Amino acid sequence: MNTILVIALILAMIATLVALIRGIIAFLQTTKEDLNRPEGSGPSPARLKQNRMMINRILFQAVAIIIVAILLLAKGH
């Protein structure tokens, strides 16, 4: 059981890192046109991608924290 949780934790940490890197790359690819868009035109595709990657990062971090909590609870008993 612990082995499976440790492997899941490692995968969650890798997924978090990948989502973080993809979000940073999307942020760096923001162009001047994206920044100067009129307010009423809605979010640009680059901003939507940035938001999606950062939401994924938060979700993967939450999964990793839950796995660590389960491991700590299992070790305490």
Side-chain angles (χ1 to χ4, degrees), residues 22-69:
R22 288 186 67 193
I24 290 172
I25 289 171
F27 176 73
L28 292 174
Q29 291 176 342
T30 302
T31 63
K32 212 176 223 186
E33 292 174 8
D34 292 333
L35 296 174
N36 293 331
R37 285 174 62 106
E39 282 188 35
S41 65
S44 69
R47 285 194 181 176
L48 292 174
K49 185 175 181 180
Q50 288 173 25
N51 288 343
R52 190 173 55 246
M53 287 300 107
M54 290 303 122
I55 289 171
N56 286 342
R57 179 187 58 84
I58 292 168
L59 290 175
F60 292 136
Q61 280 180 321
V63 168
I65 290 169
I66 290 169
I67 293 170
V68 168

